[in-house]
Amino acid sequence: MRKKTVKIIASALLLLSTSACTMLDTKVAVVEDFKLDKYLGTWHEIARLDHSFERGLSQVTATYSVEGDKVVVINKGFSEEKSAWKQAEGKAYFIGSDNIARLKVSFFGPFYGAYQVHDLIKDEQGEYLASLVIGPNNEYAWILARDKTISADVKQGFINKMTKLGIDEQDLIWVEQN
């Protein structure tokens, strides 16, 4: 009886510890004067590294809003194969200070992955125009923009930063934005 109780307690502790975990294999430098209110709204996915939950999608957008103490994330893309829109809703919370652009994001229950804003392009008024986001490691990366396209200079600047992080430009999927 005692052995069974110990197993149950150990299992419960393991479950609690993993539910609070944020997957963050590789910390990258992030924007440290981050202003969430300027990041809210809709972003168009310009490029990404391949991963199963967006595979085959075009016209991908990410929309961020605030609900209470969390950031609501709605990712949406069009599947040509299924001729239908696919949408996923997640929640995000800052890891540490809310002016440092490192958040934990969950689309799948209690498990969180890191969302690290490595670089931002701003206009003259300080509005955010383009963003380079790295996930919990360099197997996840996104180039996002307020518009459906970015300039060649911004694109090359982000590619250079990704290369320094060990991300091969050849691995990027350039998302079709009709």
Side-chain angles (χ1 to χ4, degrees):
M1 181 73 148
R2 180 169 155 79
K3 191 174 182 179
K4 186 176 180 181
T5 303
V6 170
K7 281 185 179 181
I8 291 171
I9 292 171
S11 296
L13 287 173
L14 179 63
L15 181 61
L16 284 172
S17 68
T18 58
S19 69
C21 273
T22 299
M23 186 172 69
L24 179 58
D25 299 335
T26 308
K27 266 189 174 182
V28 298
V30 295
V31 174
E32 293 191 5
D33 61 346
F34 186 73
K35 296 183 179 27
L36 178 60
D37 61 319
K38 292 179 182 271
Y39 204 80
L40 299 176
T42 299
W43 292 83
H44 299 276
E45 189 176 85
I46 304 300
R48 68 171 177 263
L49 291 176
D50 187 33
H51 48 78
S52 61
F53 48 93
E54 283 187 284
R55 190 164 291 137
L57 297 182
S58 62
Q59 303 179 58
V60 179
T61 59
T63 303
Y64 303 92
S65 62
V66 174
E67 189 177 288
D69 67 338
K70 69 182 173 191
V71 178
V72 176
V73 183
I74 298 176
N75 289 346
K76 181 177 161 184
F78 188 75
S79 169
E80 294 287 337
E81 180 184 321
K82 295 181 180 179
S83 201
W85 289 94
K86 181 179 174 184
Q87 180 172 304
E89 184 172 329
K91 57 186 175 186
Y93 300 93
F94 283 94
I95 300 172
S97 173
D98 64 359
N99 67 331
I100 297 175
R102 185 174 287 118
L103 296 95
K104 60 181 184 177
V105 180
S106 177
F107 288 93
F108 313 108
F111 302 103
Y112 287 83
Y115 183 96
Q116 304 180 88
V117 182
H118 183 59
D119 195 17
L120 283 170
I121 303 300
K122 304 174 194 174
D123 67 11
E124 299 81 32
Q125 290 77 39
E127 297 302 315
Y128 298 161
L129 302 177
S131 176
L132 173 57
V133 178
I134 307 298
N137 54 47
N138 65 359
E139 294 176 18
Y140 297 90
W142 298 266
I143 295 174
L144 305 175
R146 293 295 188 181
D147 294 323
K148 294 180 179 184
T149 61
I150 57 173
S151 71
D153 289 344
V154 170
K155 176 181 173 180
Q156 192 57 54
F158 283 160
I159 289 170
N160 293 345
K161 287 178 183 264
M162 294 169 98
T163 300
K164 288 179 182 175
L165 295 172
I167 298 169
D168 188 339
E169 177 184 356
Q170 300 302 314
D171 294 335
L172 290 172
I173 295 169
W174 296 96
V175 179
E176 186 177 320
Q177 290 284 353
N178 296 341

